[in-house]
Amino acid sequence: MTGPRRIVCLTEEPTETLYALGQQDRIVGISGFTVRPPQARRDKPKVSAFTSAKVEEILALQPDLAIGFSDIQADIAAELIRRGVEVWIANHRSVAGILDYIRRLGALVGVAARADAYAGELQRGLDAIAAQAARLPRRPRVYVEEWDEPIITGIQWGAELVEIAGGIDVFPELSREPLARARILADGAPVIARDPEIIIGSWCGKKFRPERVAARPGWAAIQAVRDGELHEIKSPLILQPGPAALTDGVQAIAAIIQRWAQRHA
């Protein structure tokens, strides 16, 4: 075995990736939000959330690497570094970035060829979905909501998955913003103005409530609300920048768009 042997995964995507690459024995601790794969939640101690971590419990596991994601985990990373733990905070934001992340993580643990093959498999799956979407007679306008209070939308890989699946993301300019606070809408007026035909709710860590969305002031005028096209996709499927988003996540988006297309044929 080469590379780090005792890895703490502070988010779900390194856990899912390492399991997919057959390297799960390296994992000694995971995020409490991990649901994929199910055996990880059963087998591995849960030592972090997204914005907080049980630092003493992590140290007791004697990790030689901790892997996290984004500026939101900067404080956790800094504390672990001060305590002598090597930390990798990834910040990939696009579909291409997710594929590159898988390759980099695979190389880090000595299975570069396997990771490259896995990334290629994921890319072929995306290509197949895009080919199916290319046959749609019309692409619907799609709004994806990541949080409700405040309203947050437009994460880059989510917008890209919508496009791959055959939709038109209604806030393409927000997908270029790297930080969540730059993707907050002050109110719902911009959504009303862009009149999506499909609304997808993926509220991080809590159940999407379509009836509450439909009852927002002025939202009855939105095409998706008038047609009852409000759908939930669980956040682990599309808000984790890892394999789930490129498999079950994009497939769920594509299924919603394909059903919409059949109803509007």
Side-chain angles (χ1 to χ4, degrees):
M1 182 182 289
T2 61
R5 301 185 179 201
R6 299 185 62 81
I7 299 174
V8 168
C9 299
L10 301 172
T11 55
E12 184 178 58
E13 62 275 359
T15 299
E16 185 174 12
T17 300
L18 288 169
Y19 268 83
L21 298 178
Q23 301 300 304
Q24 61 268 24
D25 289 347
R26 299 176 187 264
I27 301 172
V28 295
I30 63 171
S31 164
F33 288 116
T34 301
V35 296
R36 295 170 64 96
Q39 59 265 41
R41 190 169 185 84
R42 293 194 303 266
D43 298 344
K44 307 294 184 179
K46 293 171 279 294
V47 294
S48 75
F50 195 49
T51 58
S52 63
K54 302 173 183 176
V55 173
E56 297 303 327
E57 292 186 23
I58 291 174
L59 295 174
L61 295 170
Q62 299 182 306
D64 50 11
L65 181 66
I67 303 175
F69 175 73
S70 91
D71 58 295
I72 296 176
Q73 294 198 310
D75 291 343
I76 300 172
E79 179 61 21
L80 290 174
I81 291 167
R82 282 193 290 266
R83 303 292 292 272
V85 179
E86 184 174 348
V87 178
W88 175 26
I89 296 294
N91 202 33
H92 50 291
R93 299 284 170 168
S94 64
V95 169
I98 295 172
L99 293 169
D100 182 61
Y101 170 81
I102 290 168
R103 291 185 172 99
R104 285 187 291 154
L105 181 52
L108 186 66
V109 298
V111 291
R114 189 180 305 176
D116 186 59
Y118 181 48
E121 176 186 332
L122 294 173
Q123 181 64 68
R124 288 190 292 276
L126 294 172
D127 292 344
I129 289 173
Q132 181 186 39
R135 296 192 289 270
L136 291 172
R138 187 166 69 84
R139 299 168 72 90
R141 300 181 304 276
V142 180
Y143 165 67
V144 180
E145 187 170 287
E146 303 157 36
W147 195 247
D148 59 331
E149 295 179 350
I151 295 174
I152 303 177
T153 186
I155 202 163
Q156 183 178 354
W157 69 81
E160 291 175 350
L161 293 178
V162 165
E163 298 286 336
I164 290 168
I168 300 170
D169 179 71
V170 296
F171 287 102
E173 73 278 12
L174 294 183
S175 69
R176 295 187 287 272
E177 297 289 348
L179 303 180
R181 63 175 174 266
R183 297 184 286 103
I184 294 173
L185 302 182
D187 55 48
V191 184
I192 298 170
R194 302 196 185 194
D195 193 25
E197 295 163 286
I198 294 173
I199 292 174
I200 294 173
S202 188
W203 293 350
C204 188
K206 69 177 181 179
K207 182 175 175 56
F208 177 61
R209 301 295 297 272
E211 72 281 2
R212 291 185 183 176
V213 173
R216 291 172 181 167
W219 283 49
I222 295 174
Q223 187 71 48
V225 175
R226 295 203 306 269
D227 292 345
E229 292 282 357
L230 293 88
H231 307 273
E232 179 179 32
I233 299 178
K234 297 294 186 182
S235 58
L237 294 187
I238 57 174
L239 295 188
Q240 297 277 6
L246 307 189
T247 53
D248 292 352
V250 69
Q251 289 166 17
I253 298 171
I256 290 168
I257 292 173
Q258 291 289 335
R259 288 195 296 270
W260 176 91
Q262 290 169 7
R263 285 193 287 268
H264 292 80

